[in-house]
Amino acid sequence: MSPRTDFVTALLGIWFGVGLMIDAWAHSNGAELETFFTPWHAVFYSGFAVVSGWIIWQVWRNVRAGRQGLAAVPTGYLAGLVAIPAFAAFGFADMMWHTILGIETTIDIFFSPSHLGLVVTMMLIITTPLRSAWNAPDVGTRPSLGRLLPALLGLAFATTLVSLFLSYGDAMQYRPEGIVRALSMLQNAGGGGPRGGGPVAVGPGAAQVAVAMVITNVIMLSPVLFLVRRWLLPFGSVTVVYTIMVLMPGAQAAFRNLPILLSFVAAGFVSDLLIRWLRPSGERRAAYWAFAGLSAFATWSLYIGVASSTGGGLPAVPELWTGAPVIAGLIGLALGALFLPNAVTAEPVPRSRRAS
């Protein structure tokens, strides 16, 4: 497909993704929902309708041009095309589920079988531009930001779906004062309270925040490492991806956690600087591993730094706020080793292509 076509696919995918964010906001902050037919679902399902119609239209254009069977499906669009009827079926199942069993209002919303089917098929649809760009001959290994933007948008919105369904372990949803309070507590099997005694503070505890940081670290860094192994990302790529990633937890918390969200946007910018400095790629394993560890360390250093500066000062337990970024960096290094255990040898350019 042409870059313009992929860009339209990505834009319509944004409609689809934003519709889900609005629905997540309504479930987290609105009145108790008692029906499937809500304005939020209207935005969500209309987004599905327009992006699906656009994908089907691209296939139909090829059919009219004389292509038959799978040859009529543009490269990268097959999984999205197959996911369209599957998503519609899960949508109908979700409506019946809510009609018979009611509307989920707490953590059970993330375990509903119909919701899980919707999120998987939705991911296949909105990542269509990524699959299209993956093998596009004009992208190369050093694409421009504009050419790679549809792929970045698709992958970033797909990652927001993962963060939504793991939001019970999402460190981005906490407010600065809650993070400082949690990292000022020591917890054990008998419960925990502020260091030096006193009542247990209301809000997340140290263990809850620590686990959420690990989960969120993996969710945010994995798609970046996936992209870095394939391309030398143009400057601004990680900033774009992280800016989109923070929208879902922001919507769920009604953006009352804005300082924390901005810390991740800043972390994306720092990661872009690291890419420019280290030039990590599948062929440069040491640089790839260094980027994975340093990016994670910088992200969570900024997280604790912003929380401390806007949430009442440094946490009272120094082992927690000094060690947490180190653990994040080590996890990032481990992810780098898993994504790239051995350097990838560049394929030789065929003689015919060198001649051209």
Side-chain angles (χ1 to χ4, degrees):
M1 299 304 298
S2 68
R4 181 177 299 179
T5 300
D6 281 346
F7 188 64
V8 173
T9 306
L11 290 179
L12 297 179
I14 291 176
W15 182 346
F16 196 11
V18 169
L20 183 61
M21 292 178 186
I22 296 174
D23 187 54
W25 168 85
H27 278 279
S28 300
N29 301 281
E32 184 175 344
L33 303 178
E34 299 178 353
T35 177
F36 176 85
F37 300 97
T38 65
W40 335 116
H41 275 182
V43 177
F44 176 52
Y45 282 101
S46 63
F48 162 69
V50 294
V51 70
S52 299
W54 175 254
I55 291 174
I56 293 171
W57 171 246
Q58 303 313 309
V59 178
W60 178 243
R61 287 176 58 189
N62 287 339
V63 170
R64 292 179 60 186
R67 295 179 180 269
Q68 300 295 324
L70 293 179
V73 183
T75 301
Y77 278 64
L78 179 59
L81 181 67
V82 172
I84 290 172
F87 182 92
F90 281 116
F92 178 77
D94 190 47
M95 180 181 67
M96 298 305 298
W97 182 284
H98 291 325
T99 301
I100 297 172
L101 300 176
I103 307 293
E104 301 91 351
T105 57
T106 57
I107 193 174
D108 54 351
I109 196 172
F110 305 120
F111 293 87
S112 165
S114 59
H115 288 171
L116 295 173
L118 287 171
V119 71
V120 170
T121 50
M122 182 178 179
M123 289 179 68
L124 292 175
I125 293 171
I126 63 178
T127 53
T128 296
L130 172 64
R131 292 189 299 276
S132 178
W134 196 264
N135 293 310
D138 65 307
V139 174
T141 59
R142 296 171 175 260
S144 66
L145 182 60
R147 180 62 185 91
L148 201 59
L149 186 59
L152 297 176
L153 294 174
L155 183 59
F157 272 96
T159 308
T160 66
L161 301 183
V162 178
S163 69
L164 171 63
F165 275 75
L166 293 177
S167 58
Y168 43 83
D170 189 350
M172 290 187 281
Q173 292 196 42
Y174 300 135
R175 300 188 198 182
E177 57 272 18
I179 297 169
V180 172
R181 184 168 55 241
L183 298 183
S184 298
M185 301 167 61
L186 290 176
Q187 293 183 330
N188 51 41
R195 194 171 199 174
V200 176
V202 177
Q208 185 177 354
V209 170
V211 171
M213 290 175 66
V214 171
I215 294 173
T216 307
N217 187 24
V218 174
I219 292 174
M220 296 200 71
L221 186 58
S222 293
V224 175
L225 295 178
F226 177 73
L227 292 172
V228 169
R229 176 169 173 164
R230 174 65 177 84
W231 292 296
L232 180 60
L233 294 182
F235 190 82
S237 297
V238 187
T239 304
V240 169
V241 170
Y242 278 15
T243 300
I244 294 172
M245 285 184 190
V246 304
L247 295 179
M248 186 67 79
Q252 290 177 278
F255 291 95
R256 291 185 292 267
N257 53 341
L258 186 59
I260 297 303
L261 301 181
L262 292 177
S263 76
F264 285 97
V265 177
F269 179 77
V270 172
S271 295
D272 281 320
L273 292 175
L274 286 172
I275 290 174
R276 173 166 288 188
W277 173 42
L278 296 171
R279 295 183 295 112
S281 70
E283 301 172 26
R284 293 166 50 83
R285 185 179 66 171
Y288 186 92
W289 288 11
F291 167 76
L294 291 174
S295 175
F297 177 81
T299 297
W300 295 97
S301 295
L302 284 167
Y303 178 84
I304 293 176
V306 169
S308 300
S309 62
T310 60
L314 285 172
V317 184
E319 294 87 349
L320 294 179
W321 63 265
T322 58
V326 176
I327 291 176
L330 292 174
I331 292 174
L333 180 61
L335 285 175
L338 288 173
F339 272 83
L340 188 67
N342 298 296
V344 178
T345 303
E347 296 182 2
V349 179
R351 186 173 301 176
S352 60
R353 289 183 59 184
R354 277 182 281 175
S356 63

